[in-house]
């Protein structure tokens, strides 16, 4: 019979395992050594910022319920009102998560996510204001906005992005943003040197 062979002792047919294409065995598991998707390098401060947002919402809810309870005015409608306000506060404070992997930069919000091809960028600009932000656009027209402070506070994240930005620059795709790239590199260097100085003190 095709695909079988006789055992050395019992004479029972032993079916050979076949490998399917794409690095998977015939039983469906991925074979060892199969290439997986590149891992994301993400904002190391995000979990802390998320905890702060949750704490603020919880404090608002707890304080409002406590005051109403002491005054004797707490009922189901008012409890639902305070809960809704706490949810709205968390939604306003919920931090956007930023991550990078080879060729991509992505931000995750509560509802939407945005992705740009960092090795195919055509423009890189920085906005002023209270919270400076970077605006990136790739050859497909996809746009992404992220806080400049996120990149300067995460050297690994910046290194991943910087590598792809220089690829876009070398290919002649990045038409605007070369000076922004140089300024950001200086800021990241100062941030790293500041951290090293703090640890050595």
């Amino acid at each position: 019979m095709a695909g079988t062979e006789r055992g050395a002792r019992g004479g029972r047919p032993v079916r050979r395992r076949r490998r399917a294409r794409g690095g998977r065995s015939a039983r469906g598991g991925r074979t060892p050594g199969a290439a997986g998707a590149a891992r994301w390098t993400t904002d190391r401060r995000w979990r802390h910022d998320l905890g702060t947002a949750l704490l603020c919402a919880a404090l608002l809810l707890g304080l409002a319920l406590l005051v109403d309870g002491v005054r004797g005015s707490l009922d189901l409608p008012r409890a639902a009102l305070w809960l809704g306000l706490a949810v709205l506060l968390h939604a306003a404070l919920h931090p956007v998560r930023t991550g990078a992997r080879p060729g991509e930069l992505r931000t995750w919000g509560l509802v939407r996510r945005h992705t740009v091809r960092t090795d195919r960028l055509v423009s890189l600009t920085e906005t002023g204001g209270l919270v400076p932000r970077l605006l990136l656009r790739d050859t497909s027209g996809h746009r992404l906005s992220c806080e400049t402070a996120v990149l300067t506070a995460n050297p690994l994240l910046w290194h991943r992005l910087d590598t792809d930005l220089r690829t876009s620059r070398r290919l002649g795709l990045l038409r605007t943003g070369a000076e922004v790239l140089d300024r950001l590199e200086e800021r990241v260097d100062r941030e790293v040197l500041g951290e090293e100085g703090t640890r050595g003190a």
Side-chain angles (χ1 to χ4, degrees):
M1 183 182 295
T4 62
E5 60 182 6
R6 292 286 178 178
R9 293 185 178 180
R12 296 176 61 186
V14 179
R15 184 174 296 276
R16 297 177 182 173
R17 289 186 181 179
R18 297 179 180 177
R19 291 185 182 275
R21 296 179 180 179
R24 295 182 179 273
S25 66
R27 294 190 176 184
R30 181 173 291 277
T31 57
R39 296 184 61 182
W40 290 95
T41 301
T42 57
D43 180 9
R44 60 184 177 178
R45 305 181 310 171
W46 181 81
R47 291 183 183 277
H48 175 268
D49 294 343
L50 177 63
T52 301
L54 290 171
L55 178 61
C56 290
L59 287 175
L60 172 64
L61 178 61
L63 183 60
L65 293 178
L66 177 62
V67 171
D68 268 0
V70 171
R71 296 174 56 185
S73 58
L74 182 62
D75 54 17
L76 187 58
R78 289 185 66 83
L81 171 64
W82 294 127
L83 177 60
L85 289 176
V87 170
L88 288 176
L89 178 62
H90 172 68
L93 298 178
H94 184 85
V96 175
R97 192 173 192 179
T98 304
R101 65 181 179 183
E104 288 184 317
L105 180 69
R106 180 174 295 177
T107 56
W108 293 267
L110 271 177
V111 179
R112 300 182 61 184
R113 71 181 187 184
H114 300 274
T115 306
V116 292
R117 290 287 304 182
T118 47
D119 54 355
R120 295 291 185 270
L121 285 181
V122 296
S123 69
L124 172 68
T125 57
E126 184 178 18
T127 64
L130 185 61
V131 181
R133 306 184 68 85
L134 282 181
L135 304 178
L136 304 95
R137 182 168 61 89
D138 61 19
T139 54
S140 299
H142 299 144
R143 300 172 184 268
L144 181 145
S145 172
C146 69
E147 293 184 16
T148 305
V150 171
L151 300 176
T152 57
N154 291 271
L156 292 179
L157 182 59
W158 164 249
H159 174 71
R160 178 66 267 163
L161 176 61
D162 181 52
T163 301
D164 289 335
L165 287 173
R166 295 188 182 279
T167 299
S168 298
R169 192 176 183 179
R170 187 175 64 253
L171 295 175
L173 299 173
L174 189 61
R175 297 189 292 268
T176 59
E179 64 285 350
V180 176
L181 182 59
D182 294 335
R183 288 202 305 267
L184 283 175
E185 188 172 7
E186 293 178 0
R187 292 184 205 172
V188 173
D189 290 341
R190 288 198 300 268
E191 189 77 20
V192 172
L193 291 175
E195 287 185 0
E196 291 178 351
T198 302
R199 292 173 183 173

